[in-house]
Amino acid sequence: GLAITPDRTEPGEWFADIFGESLAAFPDSAESDRLFASLTETIHRLQALRKETKLDFPFDLASQKANDFSAVKKWAAGLDKALARRAYLWMPEEALEKTEMDDDREAVMNCLLIVLGVAHPEKLPELFEGVGEDEKEIREVWTQLLEQLALAVESLQDYADFLQMGQREGAAGEAPSFVVTSGGRPGRNDPCPCHSGKKYKKCCGLN
């Protein structure tokens, strides 16, 4: 979540999310320094990888044990917390105040709700409305939701690229020219639609 967010996040902002508001009690300063350095290195590694390509959804859903999605739920909870650190980027107040959202904002909102639904299903009970106690039926709903989560993570990364493009153009005094269409944005490794023969990330995706 921190790696895909198109804004700098200081360690002090997320440290309490990992260790709690009271933070952790370490046996000595050397241990706390080691752990802090490890966490920071992990974030920097993911951020560097993110600049090159999309970050993969880290679960093989087919291998998840029946009705045991605890690891995915915890992962989604962490993702939800990280995205919430810059909620105004993903869903600005002015967008929420509108009676109707445009298609792109609505798509982003749906992605955020999918993340929230996996992380905290009790907050979105409508996702499981009409689902009985049958374990097979419950698993089918969860399987569909997790498949949507993988797509949501990919779409959020596309949207982050779009935001960064707008930030660069805004800094140059130009209005963002890219608008997500119903046909979808070219993937970073797809051929550029300008027909240059280059990959999108090496051509118009840089502008």
Side-chain angles (χ1 to χ4, degrees):
L2 296 174
I4 71 173
T5 297
D7 192 21
R8 182 179 177 84
T9 308
E10 298 296 336
E13 296 183 69
W14 49 260
F15 207 62
D17 285 334
I18 296 175
F19 297 108
E21 292 299 329
S22 60
L23 301 182
F26 297 101
D28 52 54
S29 60
E31 177 65 14
S32 64
D33 290 345
R34 184 197 64 78
L35 182 56
F36 183 78
S38 177
L39 289 170
T40 303
E41 180 183 354
T42 299
I43 290 179
H44 289 167
R45 176 176 58 80
L46 291 174
Q47 288 173 331
L49 182 61
R50 174 69 183 98
K51 290 180 181 179
E52 297 297 324
T53 185
K54 286 182 181 177
L55 299 179
D56 293 332
F57 182 67
F59 293 96
D60 178 7
L61 300 181
S63 67
Q64 295 294 304
K65 295 181 180 179
N67 298 330
D68 182 14
F69 301 107
S70 57
V72 188
K73 291 179 184 178
K74 289 179 180 178
W75 183 86
L79 177 61
D80 181 61
K81 278 189 174 183
L83 297 178
R85 285 292 169 193
R86 293 293 183 271
Y88 61 85
L89 287 177
W90 302 107
M91 194 55 56
E93 287 291 334
E94 59 268 23
L96 294 172
E97 291 171 356
K98 292 182 179 180
T99 55
E100 290 187 11
M101 293 185 183
D102 59 41
D103 291 344
D104 299 333
R105 288 292 188 192
E106 187 174 0
V108 173
M109 175 62 81
N110 288 338
C111 290
L112 296 174
L113 289 175
I114 290 170
V115 174
L116 178 64
V118 175
H120 306 287
E122 71 281 359
K123 293 184 178 181
L124 293 175
E126 59 270 25
L127 292 175
F128 299 89
E129 187 175 355
V131 179
E133 299 296 326
D134 182 70
E135 290 188 2
K136 182 179 180 181
E137 187 176 2
I138 293 173
R139 177 172 175 78
E140 287 177 353
V141 172
W142 268 107
T143 299
Q144 293 175 4
L145 188 58
L146 296 183
E147 289 174 350
Q148 292 175 2
L149 175 63
L151 295 174
V153 170
E154 183 174 350
S155 295
L156 287 172
Q157 292 184 75
D158 283 338
Y159 187 66
D161 288 343
F162 171 58
L163 290 177
Q164 287 183 314
M165 185 187 303
Q167 290 169 355
R168 288 194 296 268
E169 293 178 352
E174 303 174 5
S177 58
F178 178 78
V179 177
V180 180
T181 65
S182 59
R185 175 183 178 170
R188 289 168 59 82
N189 291 311
D190 289 341
C192 190
C194 75
H195 305 297
S196 65
K198 300 179 181 180
K199 290 184 178 180
Y200 179 72
K201 67 180 180 181
K202 297 293 185 181
C203 190
C204 293
L206 292 174
N207 300 325

